[in-house]
Coordinates of all heavy atoms in Angstrom, one line a residue:
M1 N -38.4 -7.5 22.8 CA -37.7 -6.5 22.0 C -36.4 -6.9 21.4 O -35.9 -8.0 21.8 CB -37.4 -5.2 22.8 CG -38.1 -4.0 22.3 SD -37.6 -2.4 22.9 CE -35.8 -2.6 23.1
A2 N -36.0 -6.2 20.4 CA -34.6 -6.5 19.8 C -34.2 -5.2 19.3 O -34.8 -4.3 19.1 CB -34.9 -7.5 18.7
Y3 N -32.8 -5.3 18.9 CA -32.3 -4.2 18.2 C -32.5 -4.4 16.6 O -32.6 -5.5 16.2 CB -30.8 -4.0 18.5 CG -30.6 -3.1 19.8 CD1 -31.1 -3.7 20.9 CD2 -30.1 -1.9 19.8 CE1 -31.1 -2.8 22.2 CE2 -30.0 -1.2 21.0 CZ -30.5 -1.6 22.2 OH -30.4 -1.0 23.3
V4 N -32.4 -3.3 15.9 CA -32.8 -3.4 14.4 C -31.7 -2.6 13.7 O -31.2 -1.6 13.9 CB -34.2 -2.8 14.3 CG1 -34.4 -2.8 12.7 CG2 -35.3 -3.5 14.9
I5 N -31.3 -3.3 12.6 CA -30.4 -2.6 11.7 C -31.2 -2.0 10.6 O -32.0 -2.6 10.0 CB -29.3 -3.6 11.0 CG1 -28.5 -4.2 12.2 CG2 -28.5 -2.9 10.0 CD1 -27.5 -5.2 11.8
T6 N -30.8 -0.7 10.3 CA -31.6 0.2 9.3 C -30.7 0.5 8.0 O -29.7 0.0 7.9 CB -32.1 1.4 9.9 OG1 -31.1 2.1 10.4 CG2 -33.0 0.9 11.2
E7 N -31.4 1.3 7.2 CA -30.9 1.7 5.9 C -29.4 2.0 5.8 O -28.8 1.7 4.8 CB -31.7 2.9 5.4 CG -31.3 3.4 4.0 CD -32.2 4.6 3.6 OE1 -33.1 5.0 4.3 OE2 -32.0 5.0 2.4
A8 N -28.9 2.7 6.8 CA -27.5 3.3 6.7 C -26.5 2.1 6.6 O -25.4 2.3 6.2 CB -27.3 4.0 8.0
C9 N -26.9 0.8 7.0 CA -26.0 -0.2 6.8 C -25.8 -0.6 5.3 O -24.8 -1.2 4.9 CB -26.4 -1.4 7.6 SG -25.3 -2.9 7.5
I10 N -26.8 -0.3 4.5 CA -26.9 -0.8 3.1 C -25.5 -0.4 2.4 O -25.2 0.8 2.3 CB -28.1 -0.4 2.3 CG1 -29.4 -0.9 3.0 CG2 -28.0 -0.9 0.9 CD1 -30.6 -0.4 2.4
D11 N -24.9 -1.3 1.8 CA -23.6 -1.1 1.0 C -22.4 -0.5 1.8 O -21.5 -0.1 1.3 CB -23.8 -0.2 -0.2 CG -24.8 -0.8 -1.1 OD1 -24.9 -2.2 -1.3 OD2 -25.5 -0.1 -1.9
V12 N -22.5 -0.5 3.2 CA -21.6 -0.2 4.1 C -21.0 -1.4 4.8 O -19.7 -1.8 4.6 CB -22.0 0.8 5.2 CG1 -20.8 1.1 6.1 CG2 -22.5 2.2 4.5
M13 N -21.8 -2.1 5.5 CA -21.5 -3.4 6.1 C -20.2 -3.6 6.7 O -19.3 -4.3 6.4 CB -21.5 -4.4 4.9 CG -22.9 -4.7 4.4 SD -23.2 -6.2 3.6 CE -22.1 -6.3 2.3
D14 N -19.8 -2.5 7.7 CA -18.6 -2.4 8.2 C -18.3 -3.5 9.2 O -17.1 -3.8 9.6 CB -18.7 -1.0 9.0 CG -17.7 -1.0 10.1 OD1 -16.6 -0.6 9.9 OD2 -18.1 -1.2 11.3
K15 N -19.4 -4.3 9.8 CA -19.2 -5.4 10.5 C -18.8 -5.2 12.0 O -18.5 -6.1 12.6 CB -18.5 -6.5 9.9 CG -19.0 -6.8 8.4 CD -18.2 -8.1 8.0 CE -18.5 -8.4 6.5 NZ -17.8 -7.4 5.6
S16 N -18.5 -4.0 12.4 CA -18.2 -3.7 13.8 C -19.2 -4.3 14.8 O -18.9 -4.8 15.8 CB -18.1 -2.2 14.2 OG -17.2 -1.7 13.3
C17 N -20.5 -4.3 14.4 CA -21.5 -4.7 15.3 C -21.4 -6.3 15.5 O -21.5 -6.8 16.6 CB -22.9 -4.6 14.7 SG -23.1 -5.1 13.0
V18 N -20.9 -7.0 14.4 CA -20.8 -8.4 14.6 C -19.7 -8.7 15.7 O -19.9 -9.7 16.4 CB -20.3 -9.0 13.3 CG1 -20.0 -10.6 13.4 CG2 -21.4 -8.9 12.3
D19 N -18.7 -8.0 15.7 CA -17.5 -8.2 16.7 C -17.9 -8.1 18.2 O -17.4 -8.7 19.0 CB -16.3 -7.3 16.3 CG -15.8 -7.6 15.1 OD1 -15.9 -8.7 14.6 OD2 -15.0 -6.8 14.5
V20 N -19.0 -7.1 18.3 CA -19.3 -7.0 19.7 C -20.5 -7.7 20.3 O -20.8 -7.6 21.4 CB -19.4 -5.4 20.1 CG1 -18.2 -4.7 19.6 CG2 -20.6 -4.8 19.3
C21 N -21.2 -8.2 19.4 CA -22.4 -9.0 19.8 C -22.2 -10.3 20.6 O -21.5 -11.2 20.1 CB -23.3 -9.4 18.6 SG -24.8 -10.1 19.1
P22 N -22.5 -10.2 21.9 CA -22.2 -11.4 22.8 C -23.0 -12.7 22.4 O -22.5 -13.7 22.9 CB -22.6 -11.0 24.2 CG -23.7 -9.8 23.9 CD -23.3 -9.3 22.6
V23 N -24.0 -12.6 21.7 CA -24.8 -13.9 21.3 C -24.7 -14.2 19.9 O -25.5 -15.1 19.4 CB -26.2 -13.8 21.9 CG1 -26.3 -13.6 23.4 CG2 -27.0 -12.6 21.1
D24 N -23.9 -13.6 19.1 CA -23.6 -13.7 17.8 C -25.0 -14.0 16.9 O -25.4 -14.9 16.2 CB -22.9 -15.2 17.6 CG -22.4 -15.5 16.1 OD1 -22.2 -14.4 15.5 OD2 -22.2 -16.6 15.8
C25 N -25.8 -12.8 17.0 CA -27.2 -12.9 16.3 C -27.2 -11.9 15.2 O -28.4 -11.7 14.7 CB -28.2 -12.8 17.4 SG -28.3 -10.9 18.1
I26 N -26.1 -11.5 14.7 CA -26.1 -10.5 13.6 C -25.5 -11.3 12.4 O -24.3 -11.8 12.4 CB -25.4 -9.3 13.9 CG1 -25.8 -8.7 15.2 CG2 -25.5 -8.3 12.7 CD1 -25.0 -7.5 15.6
H27 N -26.2 -11.4 11.3 CA -25.7 -12.3 10.3 C -26.0 -11.6 8.8 O -26.8 -10.8 8.7 CB -26.4 -13.7 10.3 CG -26.2 -14.4 11.5 ND1 -25.0 -15.2 11.6 CD2 -26.8 -14.5 12.8 CE1 -25.0 -15.7 12.9 NE2 -26.2 -15.3 13.5
F28 N -25.4 -12.3 7.9 CA -25.6 -11.8 6.4 C -24.8 -13.0 5.6 O -24.0 -13.8 6.2 CB -24.9 -10.6 6.2 CG -23.5 -10.5 6.0 CD1 -22.8 -10.2 4.9 CD2 -22.7 -10.6 7.2 CE1 -21.3 -10.2 4.8 CE2 -21.3 -10.6 7.1 CZ -20.6 -10.4 5.9
E29 N -25.0 -13.0 4.3 CA -24.3 -13.9 3.5 C -23.4 -13.2 2.6 O -23.8 -12.3 1.8 CB -25.4 -14.8 2.7 CG -24.7 -16.0 2.0 CD -25.7 -16.7 1.1 OE1 -26.8 -16.8 1.5 OE2 -25.2 -17.1 0.0
E30 N -22.2 -13.4 2.7 CA -21.1 -12.7 2.0 C -21.4 -12.8 0.5 O -21.7 -14.0 0.0 CB -19.8 -13.4 2.2 CG -18.6 -12.6 1.7 CD -18.1 -11.5 2.6 OE1 -17.9 -11.7 3.8 OE2 -18.0 -10.4 2.1
G31 N -21.4 -11.7 -0.3 CA -21.7 -11.9 -1.7 C -23.1 -11.7 -2.1 O -23.4 -11.5 -3.3
A32 N -24.0 -12.0 -1.2 CA -25.4 -12.2 -1.5 C -26.2 -10.9 -0.9 O -27.1 -10.4 -1.4 CB -26.1 -13.3 -1.0
D33 N -25.8 -10.5 0.3 CA -26.4 -9.4 1.0 C -25.7 -8.0 0.9 O -24.6 -8.0 1.0 CB -26.5 -9.8 2.5 CG -27.7 -10.8 2.7 OD1 -28.8 -10.4 2.4 OD2 -27.4 -11.8 3.1
R34 N -26.5 -7.0 0.9 CA -26.1 -5.6 0.9 C -26.2 -5.0 2.4 O -25.8 -3.8 2.5 CB -26.9 -4.7 -0.1 CG -26.6 -5.3 -1.5 CD -27.5 -4.6 -2.5 NE -27.3 -3.2 -2.5 CZ -28.2 -2.3 -2.8 NH1 -29.5 -2.7 -3.0 NH2 -28.0 -1.0 -2.7
M35 N -26.6 -5.7 3.3 CA -26.7 -5.2 4.8 C -26.7 -6.3 5.6 O -26.8 -7.6 5.2 CB -27.9 -4.3 5.0 CG -29.2 -5.1 4.8 SD -30.7 -4.1 5.3 CE -30.5 -4.2 7.1
L36 N -26.5 -6.1 6.8 CA -26.7 -7.2 7.8 C -27.9 -7.1 8.7 O -28.7 -6.1 8.4 CB -25.3 -7.0 9.0 CG -24.1 -7.6 8.5 CD1 -23.6 -6.8 7.4 CD2 -23.1 -7.7 9.6
Y37 N -28.3 -8.1 9.3 CA -29.6 -8.2 9.9 C -29.5 -8.9 11.4 O -28.7 -9.9 11.5 CB -30.5 -9.3 9.1 CG -30.5 -9.0 7.6 CD1 -29.6 -9.5 6.8 CD2 -31.5 -8.2 7.0 CE1 -29.5 -9.3 5.4 CE2 -31.6 -7.9 5.7 CZ -30.5 -8.4 4.8 OH -30.5 -8.2 3.5
I38 N -30.3 -8.4 12.2 CA -30.3 -9.0 13.6 C -31.5 -9.8 13.9 O -32.5 -9.5 13.4 CB -30.4 -7.7 14.6 CG1 -29.2 -6.9 14.6 CG2 -30.8 -8.3 16.0 CD1 -29.2 -5.6 15.4
N39 N -31.1 -11.0 14.3 CA -32.2 -12.0 14.6 C -32.9 -11.6 15.9 O -32.4 -11.6 16.9 CB -31.4 -13.3 14.8 CG -32.6 -14.5 14.9 OD1 -33.7 -14.2 15.3 ND2 -32.3 -15.6 14.6
P40 N -34.2 -11.3 15.6 CA -34.9 -10.7 16.8 C -35.3 -11.8 17.8 O -35.6 -11.5 19.0 CB -36.3 -10.2 16.1 CG -36.4 -10.9 14.9 CD -35.0 -11.2 14.4
E41 N -35.1 -13.1 17.4 CA -35.5 -14.2 18.3 C -34.3 -14.4 19.4 O -34.4 -14.9 20.4 CB -35.7 -15.5 17.6 CG -36.8 -15.4 16.6 CD -38.2 -15.6 17.2 OE1 -38.3 -16.2 18.2 OE2 -39.1 -14.9 16.8
E42 N -33.2 -13.9 18.9 CA -31.9 -14.3 19.6 C -31.2 -13.0 20.3 O -30.5 -13.1 21.1 CB -30.8 -14.9 18.6 CG -31.2 -16.3 18.2 CD -30.2 -16.9 17.4 OE1 -29.2 -16.3 17.1 OE2 -30.5 -18.0 16.8
C43 N -31.6 -11.9 19.8 CA -31.1 -10.6 20.4 C -31.5 -10.5 21.9 O -32.6 -10.7 22.2 CB -31.6 -9.4 19.5 SG -31.1 -7.8 20.3
I44 N -30.5 -10.2 22.7 CA -30.8 -10.1 24.1 C -30.9 -8.7 24.6 O -30.9 -8.4 25.7 CB -29.8 -10.9 25.0 CG1 -28.4 -10.4 24.7 CG2 -29.8 -12.4 24.8 CD1 -27.3 -10.9 25.8
D45 N -30.9 -7.7 23.6 CA -31.1 -6.3 23.9 C -30.1 -5.8 24.8 O -30.2 -4.9 25.7 CB -32.4 -6.1 24.9 CG -33.6 -5.9 23.9 OD1 -33.4 -5.3 22.8 OD2 -34.7 -6.4 24.1
C46 N -28.8 -6.3 24.6 CA -27.7 -5.7 25.5 C -27.3 -4.3 25.1 O -26.8 -3.6 25.8 CB -26.5 -6.8 25.3 SG -25.6 -6.6 23.8
G47 N -27.5 -3.9 23.7 CA -27.2 -2.6 23.3 C -25.8 -2.4 22.9 O -25.4 -1.3 22.5
A48 N -25.0 -3.4 22.9 CA -23.5 -3.3 22.6 C -23.3 -2.8 21.1 O -22.3 -2.0 20.9 CB -22.8 -4.5 22.9
C49 N -24.1 -3.3 20.3 CA -23.9 -3.1 18.8 C -24.2 -1.6 18.5 O -23.5 -1.1 17.6 CB -24.8 -3.9 18.0 SG -26.7 -3.9 18.4
E50 N -25.1 -0.9 19.2 CA -25.6 0.4 18.7 C -24.4 1.4 18.7 O -24.2 2.0 17.6 CB -26.7 0.9 19.6 CG -27.3 2.2 19.2 CD -28.4 2.7 20.1 OE1 -28.8 1.9 21.0 OE2 -28.8 3.9 19.9
P51 N -23.5 1.5 19.7 CA -22.5 2.5 19.6 C -21.3 2.0 18.8 O -20.5 2.9 18.4 CB -22.1 2.8 21.1 CG -22.5 1.5 21.8 CD -23.8 1.0 21.1
A52 N -21.3 0.8 18.4 CA -20.1 0.2 17.7 C -20.3 0.5 16.1 O -19.4 0.5 15.4 CB -20.1 -1.3 17.8
C53 N -21.6 0.9 15.8 CA -21.8 1.1 14.4 C -21.3 2.5 13.9 O -21.8 3.5 14.5 CB -23.3 0.9 14.0 SG -23.7 1.4 12.2
P54 N -20.4 2.6 13.0 CA -19.8 3.8 12.6 C -20.9 4.8 11.8 O -20.6 6.0 11.7 CB -18.6 3.6 11.7 CG -19.1 2.2 11.1 CD -19.8 1.4 12.3
V55 N -21.9 4.2 11.3 CA -22.9 5.0 10.5 C -24.2 5.0 11.3 O -25.3 5.5 10.6 CB -23.0 4.4 9.1 CG1 -21.8 4.6 8.3 CG2 -23.5 3.0 9.1
N56 N -24.3 4.7 12.5 CA -25.5 4.8 13.4 C -26.8 4.1 12.7 O -27.8 4.7 12.6 CB -25.8 6.3 13.6 CG -24.8 7.0 14.5 OD1 -24.3 6.5 15.5 ND2 -24.5 8.2 14.1
A57 N -26.5 2.9 12.2 CA -27.6 2.2 11.6 C -28.4 1.3 12.5 O -29.4 0.9 12.2 CB -26.9 1.2 10.5
I58 N -27.9 1.2 13.8 CA -28.6 0.4 14.8 C -29.5 1.1 15.7 O -29.0 2.1 16.4 CB -27.6 -0.6 15.3 CG1 -26.7 -1.3 14.3 CG2 -28.4 -1.7 16.2 CD1 -25.7 -2.2 14.9
Y59 N -30.7 0.7 16.0 CA -31.6 1.3 17.0 C -32.2 0.2 17.8 O -32.5 -1.0 17.3 CB -32.8 2.1 16.3 CG -32.3 3.2 15.5 CD1 -31.9 3.1 14.1 CD2 -32.2 4.5 16.1 CE1 -31.5 4.1 13.4 CE2 -31.8 5.6 15.3 CZ -31.4 5.5 13.9 OH -31.1 6.4 13.3
A60 N -32.5 0.5 19.0 CA -33.4 -0.4 19.8 C -34.7 -0.3 19.0 O -35.2 0.7 18.4 CB -33.6 0.2 21.2
E61 N -35.5 -1.4 19.1 CA -36.8 -1.6 18.4 C -37.7 -0.4 18.6 O -38.3 0.1 17.6 CB -37.4 -2.9 18.7 CG -38.6 -3.3 17.9 CD -39.1 -4.8 18.1 OE1 -38.4 -5.5 18.7 OE2 -40.3 -4.9 18.0
D62 N -37.9 0.1 19.8 CA -38.8 1.2 20.2 C -38.3 2.5 19.9 O -38.8 3.4 20.1 CB -39.3 0.9 21.6 CG -38.2 1.1 22.6 OD1 -37.1 1.4 22.2 OD2 -38.4 1.0 23.8
A63 N -37.0 2.6 19.4 CA -36.4 3.9 19.0 C -36.1 4.0 17.5 O -35.6 5.0 17.0 CB -35.2 4.1 19.8
V64 N -36.6 3.0 16.7 CA -36.4 3.1 15.3 C -37.1 4.3 14.7 O -38.3 4.5 15.0 CB -37.0 1.8 14.6 CG1 -36.8 1.9 13.1 CG2 -36.1 0.6 15.1
P65 N -36.5 5.2 14.0 CA -37.2 6.4 13.4 C -38.4 5.9 12.6 O -38.3 4.9 11.8 CB -36.1 7.0 12.5 CG -34.8 6.5 13.0 CD -35.1 5.1 13.6
D66 N -39.4 6.7 12.5 CA -40.5 6.3 11.6 C -40.2 5.9 10.3 O -40.8 5.0 9.6 CB -41.6 7.5 11.5 CG -42.2 7.7 12.9 OD1 -42.2 6.8 13.8 OD2 -42.9 8.7 13.1
S67 N -39.2 6.7 9.6 CA -38.8 6.5 8.2 C -38.3 5.2 7.9 O -38.1 4.7 6.9 CB -37.8 7.5 7.8 OG -36.7 7.4 8.4
Q68 N -37.8 4.4 9.1 CA -37.0 3.3 9.0 C -37.9 2.0 9.5 O -37.3 0.9 9.7 CB -35.8 3.3 9.8 CG -34.8 4.5 9.4 CD -34.2 4.2 8.0 OE1 -33.6 3.2 7.8 NE2 -34.3 5.1 7.1
E69 N -39.1 2.3 9.9 CA -40.0 1.2 10.4 C -39.9 -0.1 9.7 O -40.0 -1.1 10.2 CB -41.4 1.7 10.4 CG -41.8 2.5 11.6 CD -42.0 1.7 12.8 OE1 -42.8 0.7 12.8 OE2 -41.3 2.2 13.9
A70 N -39.8 0.0 8.3 CA -39.8 -1.3 7.4 C -38.7 -2.2 7.8 O -38.8 -3.4 7.6 CB -39.7 -0.9 6.0
F71 N -37.6 -1.7 8.4 CA -36.4 -2.5 8.7 C -36.7 -3.5 9.8 O -36.1 -4.5 9.9 CB -35.3 -1.7 8.8 CG -34.6 -1.3 7.5 CD1 -35.2 0.0 6.9 CD2 -33.8 -1.9 6.7 CE1 -34.7 0.5 5.7 CE2 -33.4 -1.5 5.5 CZ -33.8 -0.4 4.9
K72 N -37.7 -3.2 10.7 CA -38.0 -4.2 11.7 C -38.4 -5.4 11.1 O -38.0 -6.5 11.5 CB -39.3 -3.6 12.6 CG -38.8 -2.5 13.4 CD -40.1 -2.1 14.2 CE -39.9 -0.8 15.1 NZ -41.1 -0.4 15.8
E73 N -39.3 -5.3 10.1 CA -39.8 -6.5 9.4 C -38.6 -7.1 8.6 O -38.5 -8.4 8.5 CB -41.0 -6.1 8.5 CG -41.8 -7.2 8.1 CD -43.0 -6.7 7.3 OE1 -43.7 -5.8 7.6 OE2 -43.1 -7.3 6.1
I74 N -37.8 -6.3 7.9 CA -36.8 -6.8 7.0 C -35.7 -7.7 7.8 O -35.3 -8.7 7.3 CB -36.2 -5.6 6.3 CG1 -37.2 -5.0 5.2 CG2 -34.9 -6.2 5.5 CD1 -36.7 -3.7 4.6
N75 N -35.3 -7.2 8.9 CA -34.4 -7.8 9.8 C -35.1 -9.3 10.2 O -34.3 -10.2 9.9 CB -34.0 -7.2 11.1 CG -33.0 -6.1 11.0 OD1 -31.9 -6.2 11.5 ND2 -33.2 -5.1 10.1
A76 N -36.3 -9.3 10.7 CA -36.9 -10.6 11.0 C -37.0 -11.5 9.8 O -36.8 -12.7 9.8 CB -38.1 -10.4 11.7
L77 N -37.5 -10.9 8.6 CA -37.8 -11.6 7.4 C -36.7 -12.5 6.9 O -36.7 -13.6 6.5 CB -38.2 -10.7 6.4 CG -38.7 -11.2 5.1 CD1 -39.8 -12.3 5.2 CD2 -39.0 -10.2 4.0
W78 N -35.4 -11.9 7.1 CA -34.1 -12.5 6.6 C -34.0 -13.8 7.2 O -33.5 -14.8 6.5 CB -32.9 -11.6 6.8 CG -31.7 -12.1 6.1 CD1 -31.5 -11.9 4.7 CD2 -30.7 -12.9 6.6 NE1 -30.2 -12.5 4.5 CE2 -29.8 -13.1 5.6 CE3 -30.4 -13.5 7.9 CZ2 -28.6 -13.8 5.7 CZ3 -29.3 -14.2 8.0 CH2 -28.4 -14.5 7.0
Y79 N -34.3 -14.0 8.4 CA -34.2 -15.3 9.0 C -35.2 -16.4 8.6 O -35.2 -17.5 9.0 CB -34.2 -15.2 10.6 CG -32.9 -14.3 10.9 CD1 -32.9 -12.9 11.0 CD2 -31.7 -15.0 11.1 CE1 -31.7 -12.2 11.3 CE2 -30.5 -14.4 11.5 CZ -30.5 -13.0 11.5 OH -29.3 -12.3 11.8
E80 N -36.2 -15.9 7.9 CA -37.3 -16.9 7.4 C -37.1 -17.1 6.0 O -37.4 -18.1 5.4 CB -38.7 -16.4 7.7 CG -38.8 -15.9 9.0 CD -40.1 -16.1 9.7 OE1 -41.0 -16.1 9.0 OE2 -40.2 -16.3 10.9
D81 N -36.9 -16.0 5.2 CA -36.8 -16.0 3.8 C -35.8 -15.0 3.3 O -36.2 -13.8 3.0 CB -38.1 -15.8 3.2 CG -38.2 -16.0 1.8 OD1 -37.2 -15.9 1.1 OD2 -39.4 -16.1 1.3
P82 N -34.5 -15.3 3.3 CA -33.5 -14.3 2.9 C -33.6 -13.7 1.6 O -33.4 -12.4 1.3 CB -32.2 -15.2 2.8 CG -32.4 -16.4 3.5 CD -34.0 -16.7 3.7
D83 N -34.1 -14.4 0.5 CA -34.4 -13.9 -0.8 C -35.4 -12.7 -0.7 O -35.3 -11.7 -1.4 CB -34.8 -14.9 -1.7 CG -33.6 -15.8 -2.2 OD1 -32.5 -15.3 -2.1 OD2 -33.8 -16.9 -2.7
Q84 N -36.5 -13.0 0.0 CA -37.5 -11.8 0.0 C -37.0 -10.7 0.8 O -37.3 -9.5 0.4 CB -38.7 -12.5 0.9 CG -39.6 -13.1 0.0 CD -41.1 -13.0 0.6 OE1 -41.5 -11.8 0.9 NE2 -41.9 -14.0 0.6
A85 N -36.2 -10.9 1.9 CA -35.5 -9.8 2.5 C -34.7 -9.0 1.7 O -34.6 -7.7 1.6 CB -34.8 -10.3 3.8
R86 N -33.8 -9.8 0.9 CA -33.0 -9.0 -0.1 C -33.8 -8.2 -1.1 O -33.4 -7.1 -1.5 CB -32.1 -10.1 -0.8 CG -31.0 -10.7 0.1 CD -30.3 -11.7 -0.6 NE -29.6 -12.4 0.4 CZ -29.5 -13.8 0.5 NH1 -30.1 -14.6 -0.3 NH2 -28.9 -14.3 1.5
A87 N -34.9 -8.8 -1.6 CA -35.7 -8.1 -2.6 C -36.3 -6.8 -1.9 O -36.3 -5.7 -2.5 CB -37.0 -9.0 -3.0
R88 N -36.6 -6.9 -0.5 CA -37.1 -5.6 0.0 C -36.1 -4.6 0.1 O -36.3 -3.3 0.0 CB -37.6 -5.9 1.4 CG -38.9 -6.8 1.5 CD -40.1 -6.0 1.4 NE -40.3 -5.1 2.3 CZ -40.8 -5.2 3.5 NH1 -41.3 -6.4 3.8 NH2 -41.0 -4.1 4.2
V89 N -34.8 -5.0 0.5 CA -33.7 -4.1 0.5 C -33.4 -3.4 -0.9 O -33.3 -2.3 -1.0 CB -32.4 -4.8 1.0 CG1 -31.1 -4.0 0.8 CG2 -32.5 -5.3 2.4
E90 N -33.6 -4.3 -1.9 CA -33.4 -3.8 -3.3 C -34.4 -2.7 -3.7 O -34.0 -1.8 -4.4 CB -33.3 -5.1 -4.2 CG -33.0 -4.7 -5.7 CD -31.6 -4.1 -5.9 OE1 -30.7 -4.5 -5.2 OE2 -31.5 -3.3 -6.8
Q91 N -35.7 -3.0 -3.3 CA -36.6 -2.1 -3.5 C -36.5 -0.7 -2.8 O -36.7 0.3 -3.2 CB -38.0 -2.6 -2.9 CG -39.0 -3.4 -3.8 CD -40.2 -3.9 -3.1 OE1 -40.3 -3.8 -1.9 NE2 -41.0 -4.6 -3.9
W92 N -36.0 -0.9 -1.6 CA -35.8 0.3 -0.7 C -34.7 1.2 -1.3 O -34.8 2.3 -1.4 CB -35.3 -0.2 0.6 CG -35.2 0.9 1.7 CD1 -34.3 1.7 1.8 CD2 -36.3 1.4 2.5 NE1 -34.5 2.8 2.8 CE2 -35.8 2.5 3.2 CE3 -37.6 1.0 2.8 CZ2 -36.6 3.2 4.1 CZ3 -38.4 1.6 3.7 CH2 -37.9 2.7 4.3
K93 N -33.6 0.5 -1.7 CA -32.4 1.2 -2.3 C -31.8 0.4 -3.5 O -31.0 -0.3 -3.3 CB -31.3 1.5 -1.1 CG -30.3 2.4 -1.5 CD -29.4 2.6 -0.3 CE -28.2 3.5 -0.8 NZ -27.4 3.7 0.4
P94 N -32.3 0.6 -4.6 CA -31.8 0.0 -5.8 C -30.3 0.2 -6.0 O -29.9 1.2 -5.7 CB -32.5 0.5 -7.0 CG -33.8 1.2 -6.4 CD -33.5 1.6 -5.0
I95 N -29.6 -1.0 -6.3 CA -28.1 -0.9 -6.4 C -27.7 0.1 -7.4 O -28.4 0.4 -8.5 CB -27.8 -2.4 -6.8 CG1 -26.3 -2.5 -6.3 CG2 -27.9 -2.6 -8.2 CD1 -25.8 -3.9 -6.1
G96 N -26.7 0.9 -7.2 CA -26.2 1.7 -8.1 C -26.9 3.2 -8.0 O -26.4 4.0 -8.7
V97 N -27.8 3.3 -7.2 CA -28.5 4.7 -7.0 C -27.9 5.4 -5.8 O -27.9 4.9 -4.7 CB -30.1 4.5 -6.8 CG1 -30.7 5.9 -6.6 CG2 -30.6 3.8 -8.1
S98 N -27.5 6.6 -6.0 CA -26.8 7.3 -4.8 C -27.9 7.8 -3.9 O -29.1 8.1 -4.3 CB -26.1 8.7 -5.4 OG -25.2 8.2 -6.4
P99 N -27.5 7.9 -2.7 CA -28.6 8.4 -1.6 C -28.9 9.8 -2.0 O -28.2 10.6 -2.5 CB -27.8 8.3 -0.4 CG -26.5 7.8 -0.7 CD -26.3 7.6 -2.1
A100 N -30.2 10.2 -1.7 CA -30.8 11.5 -2.0 C -30.1 12.5 -1.1 O -29.7 12.2 -0.1 CB -32.2 11.5 -1.8
Ligands
SF4_1 S1 -21.6 -1.8 12.3 FE1 -23.3 -0.8 11.3 S2 -22.8 -0.5 9.1 FE2 -21.5 -2.1 10.1 S3 -22.4 -4.0 9.6 FE3 -23.1 -3.4 11.6 S4 -25.0 -2.2 11.2 FE4 -24.0 -2.4 9.3
SF4_2 S1 -28.4 -5.7 21.1 FE1 -26.8 -7.0 21.8 S2 -27.5 -9.0 21.5 FE2 -28.7 -7.6 20.2 S3 -27.8 -7.6 18.2 FE3 -27.0 -5.8 19.4 S4 -25.1 -6.7 20.4 FE4 -26.3 -8.5 19.7

């Protein structure tokens, strides 16, 4: 299992989660990404990041809301193909469009 970052992080990127992660498995590229991603291979399921997030963007994998299921794949994808992951985020929430 792993923890997963979801839609609420997009364009927020507060980074509190990065500060509390004991294994440094939350990453993004400054200037290129609109959200952060948890590496599912490295996450040790400690849960420290979840309460640290001010917008409640982080869930345990088995608690991800149905509407946010796609982000399980998007988090993992970023570690294999960041451009594709960014394209999925852009599809999900095109830049400049306000949340509904
Ligand atoms: S604390 Fe929440 S909003 Fe901030 S980077 Fe982490 S997941 Fe994104
Ligand atoms: S659950 Fe723990 S190990 Fe996994 S991303 Fe969050 S802080 Fe890091």
Side-chain angles (χ1 to χ4, degrees):
M1 238 199 34
Y3 276 64
V4 177
I5 297 179
T6 63
E7 179 178 8
C9 182
I10 299 175
D11 297 332
V12 175
M13 301 206 293
D14 158 88
K15 304 188 193 75
S16 301
C17 54
V18 174
D19 294 339
V20 299
C21 180
V23 295
D24 194 24
C25 71
I26 308 175
H27 297 279
F28 74 112
E29 191 182 324
E30 190 83 54
D33 281 298
R34 296 171 61 208
M35 64 172 282
L36 278 67
Y37 312 86
I38 293 173
N39 186 335
E41 304 282 325
E42 292 180 3
C43 173
I44 58 169
D45 270 323
C46 74
C49 53
E50 187 181 346
C53 177
V55 293
N56 297 318
I58 306 179
Y59 295 89
E61 192 175 332
D62 61 8
V64 173
D66 287 349
S67 67
Q68 302 288 306
E69 278 284 309
F71 284 89
K72 291 183 186 175
E73 203 181 304
I74 292 172
N75 278 243
L77 180 61
W78 190 82
Y79 291 88
E80 311 216 329
D81 188 339
D83 283 340
Q84 273 212 45
R86 287 172 196 135
R88 294 277 303 272
V89 170
E90 185 60 31
Q91 265 177 359
W92 189 275
K93 188 174 178 184
I95 203 158
V97 175
S98 310

